[in-house]
Amino acid sequence: MEQEKKNGLRFLRWPWNVVIYILAAISLRLFCIPVILILMGIQKKNNPHGAAEGYCLSRTRKHLPGVLLALLFLFIGVALGTLFFFEIRQPKDDWEAMDYVTLIISGVAAAGLTLAGFYEGFVSVRDTFFPAKSGLAKSIRRQLPFPNEAPPVRELFAMVDNDLKENGEWFDAVGIGKEWVLGDSASRIDRIRAIFTVDKIHQHRTQTGVRTSRTLQLVLVDDRWKAAITTFHKPGELQAAADCLGFRVPSAFRGINSDYIDFLAKDDVERETYEREFRQREAARATRQALQEATWQTK
């Protein structure tokens, strides 16, 4: 029954999902957005982690909705730019100071949204259609012993995919295997040096009242002192992922909220000292584990 269900939704898989989205955009125009979002929701529900085509490849192709966001930015930016150029050509004899402020704000907003649209569109198209150049592929290459000699992207992704298929535990959209963590980017577990959870509530005053938002993030700092940040939607899943990684790397530093900023601010001497102490803790743990296994075997 489950196989039949998956076969019935095969048209939602790559590249047919893109074909359907394009046809919907051509036929429905702006009204295509809710239809496309519904189709994406169905696809995600039936293939939540991308197991059918590979976790990594599916993760890069999930950037496709960014093209819609880019088009929205470009549309608003062009509209504001048109308004800016129309207003700047008008007579200014009776203009007040606020009129000039509004003109400047609209011009800056138009330029900012247009640039954001081009950037978002470039990144989304690159990650979706050219996975070898995606940010995820780059994050994997950077953590290999010889990044310049990394294998093709298919083999590169297969390293992470195979680990997650055999050993993976999933927390929200983050997969934790024996060797790799797959979030918004990929992290080698043996290179993790610190684990942080960010859970902050923000309040913004508006004309209608106070709006509340919540930031949930998992921050992993590796031995290169680079931070990999992944956004979560459920606080329980965030804490469970951090605890799972804490079990995998018990010698890693644990912190919350802005602690990772202070951790990243360590100077070179402090970093070298921490790395040396980390390796000592890991060596002592490996020795204890070996002694325990030897004791069990002699019994």
Side-chain angles (χ1 to χ4, degrees), residues 67-285:
V67 176
L68 297 176
L69 183 62
L71 292 175
L72 180 61
F73 283 164
L74 287 173
F75 176 79
I76 298 175
V78 170
L80 288 175
T82 303
L83 178 63
F84 173 81
F85 285 109
F86 176 79
E87 291 292 336
I88 204 172
R89 298 178 63 181
Q90 299 301 311
K92 303 177 179 60
D93 297 336
D94 57 346
W95 275 36
E96 298 180 357
M98 187 57 65
D99 295 322
Y100 287 99
V101 172
T102 302
L103 183 65
I104 293 172
I105 292 176
S106 63
V108 172
L113 286 171
T114 302
L115 290 175
F118 278 117
Y119 176 78
E120 182 68 25
F122 169 77
V123 172
S124 300
V125 170
R126 181 200 65 186
D127 287 6
T128 302
F129 298 101
F130 305 96
K133 298 181 179 180
S134 65
L136 178 58
K138 291 178 181 177
S139 71
I140 299 174
R141 289 193 192 95
R142 285 195 295 263
Q143 297 178 78
L144 298 179
F146 304 99
N148 295 331
E149 301 176 9
V153 67
R154 186 182 296 273
E155 298 177 25
L156 206 65
F157 284 173
M159 292 189 300
V160 181
D161 288 342
N162 292 337
D163 182 38
L164 292 176
K165 287 178 182 177
E166 296 175 5
N167 312 292
E169 297 182 54
W170 290 92
F171 305 90
D172 211 335
V174 172
I176 300 177
K178 186 178 181 180
E179 298 179 356
W180 291 92
V181 180
L182 178 61
D184 292 342
S185 60
S187 302
R188 274 190 66 94
I189 292 178
D190 60 357
R191 301 189 70 164
I192 293 175
R193 296 296 181 263
I195 304 165
F196 300 91
T197 56
V198 178
D199 186 352
K200 293 183 178 180
I201 296 178
H202 310 277
Q203 291 185 339
H204 310 278
R205 294 189 176 276
T206 63
Q207 295 180 350
T208 57
V210 178
R211 295 184 60 183
T212 302
S213 60
R214 190 173 189 177
T215 299
L216 296 171
Q217 293 176 327
L218 176 67
V219 182
L220 304 177
V221 180
D222 61 17
D223 56 352
R224 304 163 303 155
W225 236 253
K226 301 295 184 181
I229 302 176
T230 299
T231 300
F232 276 69
H233 300 94
K234 301 176 182 178
E237 292 288 287
L238 170 62
Q239 190 59 49
D243 291 341
C244 179
L245 283 171
F247 178 77
R248 295 277 203 281
V249 195
S251 300
F253 181 84
R254 295 287 297 270
I256 61 172
N257 296 334
S258 59
D259 289 348
Y260 77 92
I261 298 177
D262 297 332
F263 190 84
L264 290 172
K266 292 179 181 292
D267 58 30
D268 291 340
V269 175
E270 292 173 320
R271 293 180 181 185
E272 291 176 2
T273 301
Y274 179 83
E275 180 67 20
R276 183 172 59 254
E277 294 175 347
F278 175 88
R279 293 184 180 277
Q280 291 173 351
R281 291 194 297 270
E282 283 292 284
R285 184 175 69 88

